[in-house]
Amino acid sequence: MSAVAASMVAMPGTRAAADFADGLVGGLVGGAVSGIIVNESAKARENKRATTRARTPRKTYRAPVNSVARQQVREEQTSLNYFGFPAGTPDGVRGRNTRNAVSQFQAHMGYPATGYLADYERQFLISSYYRAQSSGAATSQLIAQRGLGTRGLLHAYRDEAVGVPQTYAAAPAPVPAAQAPVMAAIPQEAQVPEPEVGLAALPNLMASGGDGPSLASHCNQVSLLTNSNGGFVTAASLSDARFALNEQFCLARTYAIAEGETMAASLKGVSPAQLEDQCRAFGPAMRDHVAALSLSPKDEVVREVRGFVLQSGQSPAQLSGTAKICLSVGYRIDNMNVALGSALLLTALGEEAYAELMGHHLSEGFGTTRRPDLALAWYQGAVEAVERGAEPVFAPGDAGRTALIRKAAFPADGANATGGASEVQPASTLPTFTLE
């Protein structure tokens, strides 16, 4: 150290100052380079951590899906697919395919192609689908006549709604006499004499099995009014409570037919004719219980039907499935004894939502005497069951349906919406006659 110090003292002042300056600059430059290296190293480590974080999948929270809304979209997708507007797999998600299919449907019907269904457009689409499913051979005939495949049904239903009558394929022409097969002559002794014409031979055009007026015809009229009104009545637009209940009656009938036909399709080796024959047995078996609807309160009728269930020897699951299929058959062939007997069994088995059907029948007198006063208990049982959490069986995608039925069946003023209270006249209004 002493030698170094001596050499520095011996050096000229200018050179020492220069060397000192060079050392100082070199130190600063070296420090700056070291700082850059350190900084770049820190940036590299940060970039590596960021890349690692980006590669690591993040757990995201998804809000629960509204099952009612998805069911509603699923119905739309199923209907669109049936009528030839490809919406993809009915998954309940309103994606691009569904919106494109809706736009095609709207353009086909002459509606504004927005890709989103208005309330009336949706009701027309869904009701047309279930009508096509439940009309059997008439649907096939109408498709063949229109020449547009299933899309032609939409125009046919629209034309019918505005009063244009629909014609179906004519029956096959009779075989000409020249081509008729020649029958072998019957020996005189083997011929059966023709019965004498008497009172027993008179036709009985009113023998309809005791089912009363046609519910199918009634629902056709209701459907025409619904379409002319621009859609179904809602709780907000309710003005005619009885008509609103009739709309829901016919809508429930359509859903019941569709559900039973879906279940019947899974049965192997059973033809529709065989199903009809077997389901007709519900009429005689349940006749007394159906008759009791017009005479006894709801709880008493249900108690008697449960006794019948215990004596049937079938499991509840078997009876439930059979009753749903026969409910569909009863409505499709317009046999009210079969339909009511099936609905009574389902209600007695604990599926209380089906009690709505008895309320409708009693309100309008289809298959029963018209008893709006007895109908209220059946409406109440069905509405309260759904409000308690029971699965809706009719129009499950319509969240406001239960509120509509409650508002229509039980008005705020206490009058029976089906006309029960208003039809009861005070004694002072009864006619009087003076006998001489």
Side-chain angles (χ1 to χ4, degrees):
M1 293 295 290
S2 299
V4 172
S7 64
M8 291 180 66
V9 172
M11 292 176 61
T14 302
R15 183 176 180 183
D19 289 343
F20 175 76
D22 291 342
L24 178 61
V25 172
L28 292 175
V29 172
V33 172
S34 299
I36 293 174
I37 294 175
V38 171
N39 290 337
E40 291 298 325
S41 177
K43 289 181 180 179
R45 288 194 300 271
E46 180 62 26
N47 290 337
K48 184 176 181 180
R49 284 195 295 268
T51 303
T52 303
R53 288 195 299 269
R55 291 177 180 175
T56 303
R58 294 182 177 180
K59 295 182 179 180
T60 58
Y61 172 76
R62 293 184 179 181
V65 179
N66 187 333
S67 59
V68 174
R70 293 198 65 167
Q71 175 63 24
Q72 184 174 355
V73 176
R74 194 176 294 115
E75 282 184 329
E76 297 172 7
Q77 293 168 330
T78 301
S79 302
L80 290 166
N81 287 334
Y82 174 79
F83 288 114
F85 308 107
T89 303
D91 55 4
V93 178
R94 199 188 306 275
R96 183 175 58 184
N97 290 339
T98 302
R99 293 194 297 273
N100 290 339
V102 169
S103 297
Q104 295 176 31
F105 161 73
Q106 291 171 324
H108 178 72
M109 297 302 300
Y111 304 141
T114 63
Y116 295 91
L117 291 170
D119 289 342
Y120 170 67
E121 295 170 357
R122 182 183 185 278
Q123 293 289 357
F124 177 75
L125 173 66
I126 301 299
S127 62
S128 297
Y129 168 72
Y130 283 114
R131 178 177 177 181
Q133 292 292 306
S134 61
S135 296
T139 298
S140 301
Q141 293 175 2
L142 202 54
I143 290 174
Q145 287 180 356
R146 285 282 173 164
L148 296 175
T150 52
R151 293 190 181 190
L153 294 173
L154 293 170
H155 285 172
Y157 296 155
R158 179 199 60 192
D159 295 345
E160 182 180 302
V162 296
V164 179
Q166 300 300 311
T167 58
Y168 296 92
V175 180
Q179 301 178 6
V182 179
M183 304 298 294
I186 302 176
Q188 184 69 27
E189 61 275 9
Q191 294 181 5
V192 179
E194 295 183 1
E196 296 182 1
V197 177
L199 294 177
L202 293 176
N204 183 2
L205 300 181
M206 303 304 295
S208 60
D211 291 342
S214 168
L215 178 58
S217 176
H218 174 73
C219 285
N220 285 337
Q221 298 175 21
V222 170
S223 178
L224 290 175
L225 290 173
T226 299
N227 291 329
S228 65
N229 292 338
F232 282 79
V233 175
T234 64
S237 64
L238 178 63
S239 60
D240 186 340
R242 184 173 178 183
F243 178 72
L245 289 175
N246 271 287
E247 282 188 327
Q248 297 307 316
F249 185 9
C250 295
L251 183 64
R253 170 183 175 271
T254 301
Y255 270 85
I257 291 175
E259 180 187 26
E261 289 187 341
T262 301
M263 297 178 66
S266 63
L267 300 178
K268 305 300 182 182
V270 182
S271 67
Q274 291 172 327
L275 279 179
E276 288 185 18
D277 290 339
Q278 295 183 35
C279 287
R280 287 183 190 275
F282 266 81
M286 298 291 294
R287 181 178 290 115
D288 292 343
H289 302 294
V290 172
L293 279 171
S294 306
L295 304 171
S296 304
K298 172 180 178 287
D299 292 341
E300 183 177 334
V301 174
V302 172
R303 183 169 59 251
E304 294 295 329
V305 176
R306 284 175 178 166
F308 172 83
V309 169
L310 293 175
Q311 297 174 3
S312 67
Q314 296 187 38
S315 68
Q318 289 175 324
L319 270 179
S320 176
T322 301
K324 288 175 182 176
I325 293 175
C326 289
L327 176 64
S328 169
V329 171
Y331 279 142
R332 182 166 53 81
I333 66 177
D334 220 20
N335 188 318
M336 297 299 99
N337 283 332
V338 173
L340 277 168
S342 304
L344 274 173
L345 274 177
L346 289 167
T347 305
L349 288 168
E351 300 189 49
E352 189 73 16
Y354 285 94
E356 176 193 330
L357 295 177
M358 271 66 71
H360 291 313
H361 280 271
L362 287 167
S363 293
E364 296 302 322
F366 288 98
T368 67
T369 303
R370 189 164 182 265
R371 291 293 305 271
D373 54 327
L374 293 178
L376 294 179
W378 296 94
Y379 279 132
Q380 183 175 359
V383 168
E384 291 181 351
V386 175
E387 290 174 344
R388 289 194 303 267
E391 188 71 21
V393 293
F394 309 123
D398 188 353
R401 184 172 184 273
T402 301
L404 171 63
I405 293 177
R406 175 179 284 281
K407 185 176 180 180
F410 306 97
D413 58 2
N416 186 347
T418 57
S422 61
E423 291 179 354
V424 177
Q425 302 294 330
S428 59
T429 63
L430 295 178
T432 58
F433 301 95
T434 303
L435 300 179
E436 296 181 357

